[in-house]
Amino acid sequence: MKLKALLASAGLAAFAATAQAAEVELTLSHWVPATHMLQPGGMEPWAKSIGEASGGRIAITIYPASQLGAAPDHYDMARDGIVDIGFINPGYQPGRFPIIAAGEIPFLVANAKGGSRALDEWYRQYATREMKDVYTCMVIVHDPGTLHGTKGPIQVPADLKGKNIRPAHATMARLVNSLGAASVQVPAGEMRELISKGAADMTASPWNSIYTFGLQDVTKHHLDLPFYVTTFAFVMNKAKIDGLSPADRKVMDDHCTPEWAEKMATRWADAEAAGRQKMIDAGNHTFYKPTPDDVNLWKRATATLQGEWEAAATEAGVDAKAAWANLGETLKKYGADVK
């Protein structure tokens, strides 16, 4: 009854009508707005393709905006069967998923399209170990993001000292702390409230998400540098997918691939990249373009993060140096390595 009520309130009647006629009804829960390009540009086409490939046997109902639970809880929600499919940011739970955190290291992933395909392909060899409680369907990243603040300058690492900064994930939280800033970690949906109340001076975000989450009037200063990406995953309740018929299981497996990871990320990536030009056109934003020497300062400031990741991955039972090399090779294969 609770799900039906939420469905009605979300205005998702089209999905509901399909679900009621299907043999397998799946819930997909996420925590960004329904208008966020990830839903109309990624999740909805994916769900439609699954419905068509199954001949209408499988229907997916999408619940956006944390309707079914808080953003950091989505892995456990899928594990426990509260939802069938959860969209997760592993970095919202520091230390829990050290292997996939490789994707969080700045200056590693050059673009979201090839980057999503590469990270998904690379992580498949580790997913059953690190996310053993669920079925990991796919891994994606967003278009490279940067730092956005209420005041400037934001050009070199020293500009972060003494600031309160909302990081995108645990790796960035460690970075800003090492630079003399204080990290204030909240999910993306809470960025505006955090900054408008003065509890943070800066936030990490891809460009258009500043508009999506309503920060364009409070963050007017921007580090004009492709700095980092965030890793995300779609994870599914194991009992649910293991209980599917062989034909339906094949449909789901065919939609949980590196190719689908790239498709899922593509329209979102284009939308995020367009946000920078939107700010330029608005004319009331200040962009701080680092010089080559400034970029070297940023790279020097982030240099210890790879070693920290290797230590954590080794503790998790991974040959970290080989894994890191393989990740670099896979990114290069799909044109997503930083030159």
Side-chain angles (χ1 to χ4, degrees), residues 276-295:
R276 179 178 176 275
Q277 187 61 48
K278 192 186 300 185
M279 290 181 191
I280 292 172
D281 294 342
N284 57 353
H285 292 261
T286 302
F287 297 80
Y288 300 90
K289 185 70 175 178
T291 67
D293 286 343
D294 295 337
V295 173

Side-chain angles (χ1 to χ4, degrees), residues 178-202:
S178 74
L179 295 175
S183 62
V184 187
Q185 190 159 4
V186 299
E190 299 174 28
M191 286 190 295
R192 179 178 171 81
E193 182 180 8
L194 185 75
I195 289 180
S196 62
K197 287 184 175 180
D201 308 297
M202 296 182 200

Side-chain angles (χ1 to χ4, degrees), residues 29-34 39 63-69 74:
S29 178
H30 66 88
W31 33 269
V32 298
Q39 178 165 327
Y63 295 89
S66 297
Q67 291 182 38
L68 303 185
H74 272 60

Side-chain angles (χ1 to χ4, degrees), residues 101-124:
E104 298 175 353
I105 296 175
F107 305 112
L108 174 68
V109 180
N111 63 75
K113 298 174 186 179
S116 293
R117 185 165 183 162
L119 194 66
D120 180 278
E121 183 176 301
W122 173 82
Y123 188 62
R124 287 181 180 274

